[in-house]
Amino acid sequence: MAVNDLHMKNQVSKELLFNYFAGQATALQKEAIDEWAKKDDNSEIFFEHLAMWESLNPQFNADSNEALQRHWQRIEQKTEASTVQPDGLNEPVTGWLTSIRFGWLMAASVGIVLLLSGIVFRNELLFTTYSTAYGETSTLTLSDGSRVTLNANSSLRVPRFGFGTDNREVVLVGEADFSIKHLPSHQHFVVHTDKNFEVVVLGTEFLVNTREKGTKVVLNKGKVQLLYQEGKTSKQLTMKPGNLVTFDKDGCANLKQTPKPQDFVSWKEHRFVFDETTLAEISSLFAENYGIELQIPDKALTQWTISGAFTAYSAEELIETITSASNLTYRQQGDTIVITQVH
């Protein structure tokens, strides 16, 4: 082996691997990496850097396994080439050649398993998902210094290896309050949802709710841009502090001004602010935040409204406070609470 080849194998760096994954490595570099990746310890590093490279290059997501396929194709080609006998030899090559081929086949099998596992568990490899249970809230500090407080029964998916140099992108299911750190690079922060809209910001404080019956965005500070789909039409809307945007079931946006945007995140302090809120709407809150069904046999009661601020640390405390202040009574049966009027 040439001295340069040996030196190359000892100099397999992150930058070299990134060039390799992008298909920009030289022939000598490719050969060196193929040899280097045969070792178990190096193989683990290889896959870690592949995951990191993909998270930094989302434009390659459509061909996310191309780099691995090129790698295993070269390995397979070398395996086939090793079975060809030198010119002038008629005897089959056995012994050490059989052992080498068996080793390569084992390595290829392991590689295929790892490749398939990488496809199946791609999201688990590239992203971390933070979740809250019913009745639980949680505050996270992201790698860029931004803070996110998740409401109950919510989840946030973030890149496992950091945001990279493009947009900072996360995926929200449920409800969360965001305090986004502005970066010198003016890098956008994008909140994706499953409700046909996304929020694009530079640095600001806002709430996003993707609940089925309460889809909304409330801006407390700064400025955000909403990109949303109304039917087949793509639209955008720029929000200012105090703006409340709600979405109906067809994706139509309704913009209005709210005097106290901070009330929409009072749940962070275990406070619930109601302003002529119907019992039907409160029923949705119990289902979404606590996994508890409110049953109201008298349908007329569903339109009763509640106003006021209540502090509660559990579903039991909240329903006790609401009913005591509203001439109502309740009984709980497992995960069901039945509300009736006091006679």
Side-chain angles (χ1 to χ4, degrees):
M1 178 182 296
V3 175
N4 287 340
D5 292 349
L6 180 60
H7 176 73
M8 178 65 69
K9 290 183 182 181
N10 292 331
Q11 297 297 321
V12 175
S13 63
K14 180 178 74 173
E15 290 73 22
L16 180 56
L17 286 172
F18 280 14
N19 286 338
Y20 177 91
F21 299 143
Q24 298 172 356
T26 66
L28 180 62
Q29 290 171 338
K30 292 175 184 177
E31 182 178 356
I33 291 174
D34 290 343
E35 291 292 321
W36 171 85
K38 287 191 294 183
K39 294 184 178 180
D40 292 341
D41 292 344
N42 294 340
S43 177
E44 183 176 348
I45 296 173
F46 179 93
F47 282 97
E48 288 178 355
H49 281 77
L50 175 60
M52 186 183 304
W53 177 80
E54 285 189 337
S55 71
L56 297 174
N57 295 271
Q59 67 270 26
F60 287 92
N61 282 350
D63 299 314
S64 60
N65 296 300
E66 183 178 349
L68 269 179
Q69 291 173 351
R70 289 195 299 267
H71 174 69
W72 294 118
Q73 285 172 0
R74 283 194 294 274
I75 296 300
E76 191 63 28
Q77 289 169 359
K78 289 184 179 181
T79 303
E80 294 173 357
S82 68
T83 64
V84 178
Q85 300 180 41
D87 292 340
L89 294 180
N90 296 320
E91 294 295 327
V93 180
T94 58
W96 66 269
L97 183 56
T98 302
S99 299
I100 289 177
R101 179 166 179 78
F102 177 76
W104 274 111
L105 289 175
M106 288 296 293
S109 299
V110 171
I112 292 172
V113 171
L114 289 173
L115 176 59
L116 293 176
S117 298
I119 296 172
V120 175
F121 300 106
R122 173 183 170 81
N123 285 345
E124 286 77 0
L125 179 66
L126 297 181
F127 300 95
T128 297
T129 299
Y130 299 95
S131 302
T132 52
Y134 285 121
E136 176 189 23
T137 61
S138 178
T139 298
L140 316 169
T141 300
L142 305 183
S143 60
D144 65 341
S146 298
R147 291 173 64 84
V148 182
T149 302
L150 287 175
N151 201 354
N153 186 31
S154 302
S155 67
L156 185 74
R157 192 179 76 175
V158 302
R160 184 182 298 274
F161 302 105
F163 288 112
T165 57
D166 294 326
N167 290 340
R168 297 171 285 171
E169 301 186 43
V170 300
V171 179
L172 173 69
V173 176
E175 184 175 23
D177 183 54
F178 293 83
S179 179
I180 304 304
K181 183 176 181 180
H182 181 267
L183 300 180
S185 62
H186 306 294
Q187 191 179 18
H188 287 170
F189 191 102
V190 182
V191 181
H192 296 281
T193 74
D194 60 350
K195 300 299 182 182
N196 291 325
F197 76 91
E198 59 186 36
V199 185
V200 182
V201 302
L202 284 176
T204 191
E205 296 179 8
F206 60 98
L207 171 131
V208 180
N209 187 333
T210 67
R211 309 290 198 193
E212 191 65 33
K213 296 184 179 181
T215 304
K216 65 173 72 75
V217 179
V218 183
L219 181 60
N220 190 20
K221 295 180 181 179
K223 183 171 68 174
V224 304
Q225 185 179 60
L226 292 183
L227 307 179
Y228 62 100
Q229 196 76 19
E230 191 173 296
K232 296 182 179 180
T233 304
S234 297
K235 294 190 174 183
Q236 63 181 39
L237 184 156
T238 299
M239 296 179 63
K240 298 179 180 180
N243 280 175
L244 163 65
V245 174
T246 57
F247 293 91
D248 64 20
K249 61 181 181 180
D250 297 320
C252 297
N254 178 41
L255 170 67
K256 66 180 181 180
Q257 190 74 10
T258 178
K260 296 182 179 180
Q262 64 273 17
D263 285 350
F264 289 87
V265 293
S266 60
W267 48 262
K268 293 165 58 177
E269 283 77 40
H270 303 283
R271 292 178 62 251
F272 297 85
V273 180
F274 301 127
D275 183 11
E276 296 187 352
T277 306
T278 66
L279 282 179
E281 293 171 323
I282 292 176
S283 296
S284 297
L285 182 151
F286 272 83
E288 293 161 350
N289 285 17
Y290 299 109
I292 291 177
E293 178 188 4
L294 293 191
Q295 288 187 358
I296 308 175
D298 184 354
K299 299 307 178 184
L301 285 183
T302 62
Q303 298 307 307
W304 274 35
T305 60
I306 306 294
S307 295
F310 307 93
T311 298
Y313 291 86
S314 66
E316 291 76 15
E317 287 187 14
L318 183 58
I319 194 63
E320 176 71 29
T321 303
I322 290 175
T323 54
S324 297
S326 308
N327 196 34
L328 298 170
T329 186
Y330 76 95
R331 68 179 186 274
Q332 185 164 358
Q333 302 170 339
D335 290 335
T336 301
I337 293 177
V338 180
I339 297 179
T340 55
Q341 186 177 1
V342 176
H343 295 289

